[in-house]
Amino acid sequence: MATVEYKSIGKSFGAFNIMRDISFLIEDHQFVVLLGPSGCGKTTLLRMTAGLETVSEGDLFIGGKRVNDMHPRDRDIAMVFQNYALYPTMKVYENIAFSLEVAKQPPAEIKRRVEHAAEILNLTPYLQRYPKELSGGQRQRVAMGRAMVREAAVFLFDEPLSNLDAKLRAHMRTEIRQLHNRLKTTTIYVTHDQIEAMTMADKIVVMRAGKIEQIGTPDDVYDRPASKYVADFIGSSAINFLTGTIVADQGAPAAETKAGLIRLEPSLKLSAGQRVICGVRPTDVTVDPQGSIVARSLLIERMGHEAQLCCEGPEGQFLAIVDKSAHFDERMDVRFSIAPEKVHVFDAATENRV
Ligand code: ATP
C-alpha cells in the first residue's frame, strides 16, 4: 500500500493548458474521491496517476517514489474503468486471471488469487460464465476482481458506476466501500456524482476547471463549503442562494435581500454595505409565520418520509424541506426563518466563503 502525492501538477494538451498547480497528499489506506462536473480535469488527473497521460508540470509520487517518467506497468496501480473493459470471449475466471497470466505468475498462485477475489466479491458461482451472461453489477464486480488480483498498492476508479441504474449504483457504492474497509488499499475514485463522493470518501477533492476548489472530509465540504461553487455542487436538494447587502440589525450583522432580512453570525467578518450571497440548504429552512423571509409556494413534492416545498423567490427557485403532512395552497406567500449559524455567507465579488 502507498501514499500518492501531487506537487504543483499541471497539464497541457498542445498549447491548451487544462490544469494548473494541483498539490495534495493522499495518505496510505485513504479513499479519496475526485469530484467535479464534466470537463474539470478529474479523469486527466487519474490518467496521469496511472501513467496513461504524461505530466506536463510538477512532480507525482506514488509510495514516495517520483513516477513522472515511470511506465504504467511499474507503478503498482490497478485501474477500473467506466466501461469495465472485460474480454467478451473469456469467461469470468479467465478475465480475472488475465493480468496474472500475462505477468507469468505460477498457475497455483493465479488460482489462489482468482478464487480469493471471487469469494470476496461473491463471484464464485459465476466463474465459468461469459460477461454477456452477467448483470451489470456482476460485470462491475468482475472488473474490480481484475484490479484486486493484482494486489496493487493503489486502486484507481474512473466513474465505475455510471453505467448502472440508480438502485444498483446505490448497492455497488456500499460494496465498493465495504471492499475498501476490508482491503484498505489506497484508492482514488473519480465521479461527478456528489452522492457517491459523500457516501464513499474519506476525503473529497472538489475540482473546477483544472483547479482544486476545496479538499476536505464529506462533513467539511457540506458544513463549511469554501465557495458558492462547492455549496452548489454538494447536497441532494439544491441549496438556495439569496443575494444581499450587509446591514447592522440590533448590533449583529444581517443581509438585506429581496426575500427579506437574513440574520447572520456575529463572529463573521463583515462590513456594512458589503455585497454577499447567502447560501441556505432546504433542510435548514423552517416554515415560520414570524419568519423574515418570504417566498411564494408553487408546488409540494412528496418524497415519502418528507416533502419538498418548491417556491418562487425574488431570485428564482427557493426550496424548503417540510413535514410530509404539510399543506400549502398554490401561489400563497410562505414565511420562513433561518438560524444564523446555518447560513453560508459568500462574498458576492469573489464567491468565496466569508
Ligand atoms: P468527464 O467527467 O466528462 O470525463 P473530466 O472532469 O474527467 O470530465 P477530463 O476528461 O479530464 O475531464 O478533461 C479535462 C479537459 O481536458 C477538458 O476540457 C477536455 O476537453 C480536455 N482534454 C481531455 N483530453 C484531451 C486531449 N487528449 N486533447 C485535448 N484536450 C483534452
Side-chain angles (χ1 to χ4, degrees):
M1 277 176 241
T3 55
V4 178
E5 187 166 17
Y6 303 90
K7 280 194 177 165
S8 306
I9 296 286
K11 176 70 185 171
S12 301
F13 288 105
F16 285 109
N17 176 267
I18 63 127
M19 198 178 289
R20 299 173 290 292
D21 203 22
I22 298 280
S23 295
F24 65 99
L25 171 72
I26 299 175
E27 281 157 36
D28 201 10
H29 306 312
Q30 250 184 353
F31 193 118
V32 169
V33 172
L34 307 181
L35 176 70
S38 182
C40 72
K42 50 200 190 303
T43 298
T44 303
L45 190 58
L46 196 76
R47 288 173 58 81
M48 285 196 280
T49 315
L52 303 173
E53 207 62 82
T54 55
V55 174
S56 311
E57 283 164 41
D59 300 297
L60 173 57
F61 298 88
I62 298 179
K65 259 187 263 161
R66 187 175 180 278
V67 297
N68 288 45
D69 306 311
M70 193 184 275
H71 194 277
R73 188 180 52 226
D74 302 322
R75 292 191 184 199
D76 207 4
I77 47 109
M79 189 150 170
V80 178
F81 295 92
Q82 178 175 353
N83 60 7
Y84 320 145
L86 301 182
Y87 301 107
T89 57
M90 290 183 191
K91 292 182 175 167
V92 168
Y93 184 100
E94 296 157 339
N95 260 289
I96 298 178
F98 186 74
S99 66
L100 303 177
E101 305 269 5
V102 171
K104 301 212 166 23
Q105 292 284 333
E109 177 62 10
I110 295 178
K111 185 165 181 291
R112 184 192 70 77
R113 288 205 214 169
V114 173
E115 287 178 353
H116 178 62
E119 194 190 315
I120 289 181
L121 293 165
N122 290 325
L123 283 172
T124 307
Y126 307 104
L127 285 172
Q128 296 308 317
R129 288 205 195 168
Y130 289 98
K132 68 171 187 305
E133 297 167 330
L134 301 176
S135 71
Q138 289 161 344
R139 274 182 227 158
Q140 184 56 56
R141 292 210 290 268
V142 177
M144 285 196 278
R146 294 204 323 182
M148 257 177 75
V149 289
R150 300 187 43 199
E151 297 181 353
V154 181
F155 283 164
L156 306 178
F157 288 90
D158 188 7
E159 307 239 11
L161 307 184
S162 44
N163 291 342
L164 306 178
D165 66 46
K167 196 168 172 194
L168 193 51
R169 248 190 350 246
H171 178 69
M172 290 304 295
R173 272 198 320 252
T174 322
E175 285 205 2
I176 293 177
R177 184 62 223 200
Q178 278 178 324
L179 188 66
H180 177 78
N181 291 348
R182 275 178 85 165
L183 301 177
K184 299 202 163 38
T185 308
T186 308
T187 298
I188 311 176
Y189 185 106
V190 161
T191 184
H192 60 266
D193 180 343
Q194 62 91 24
I195 299 179
E196 276 177 30
M198 291 296 284
T199 52
M200 297 166 91
D202 294 319
K203 189 153 91 176
I204 299 177
V205 178
V206 185
M207 294 183 67
R208 175 188 198 176
K211 292 211 297 212
I212 294 176
E213 190 78 4
Q214 185 170 7
I215 300 180
T217 63
D219 282 347
D220 290 338
V221 295
Y222 186 84
D223 293 335
R224 290 192 57 79
S227 62
K228 178 177 179 248
Y229 174 88
V230 175
D232 202 17
F233 207 79
I234 303 279
S236 292
S237 292
I239 191 167
N240 303 301
F241 291 115
L242 297 166
T243 313
T245 304
I246 295 299
V247 293
D249 178 60
Q250 295 162 23
E256 209 164 58
T257 75
K258 286 185 184 154
L261 196 70
I262 302 179
R263 290 187 183 84
L264 305 172
E265 288 248 278
S267 58
L268 292 174
K269 289 201 171 65
L270 294 161
S271 40
Q274 186 177 350
R275 294 285 291 163
V276 294
I277 300 166
C278 297
V280 189
R281 297 202 185 277
T283 42
D284 294 332
V285 170
T286 311
V287 177
D288 174 359
Q290 310 303 320
S292 56
I293 297 293
V294 184
R296 179 159 291 186
S297 64
L298 290 180
L299 78 132
I300 189 154
E301 293 174 342
R302 309 221 173 259
M303 297 184 288
H305 60 302
E306 61 190 11
Q308 179 166 271
L309 175 62
C310 307
C311 297
E312 188 178 27
E315 293 183 58
Q317 180 176 259
F318 186 88
L319 301 175
I321 299 297
V322 296
D323 191 83
K324 63 184 266 188
S325 57
H327 174 81
F328 296 89
D329 288 334
E330 210 177 305
R331 308 207 70 78
M332 79 186 228
D333 277 350
V334 185
R335 289 194 161 268
F336 301 95
S337 61
I338 303 160
E341 67 275 14
K342 296 292 185 189
V343 184
H344 304 278
V345 185
F346 307 101
D347 182 84
T350 63
E351 300 196 348
N352 289 331
R353 188 181 191 89
V354 172

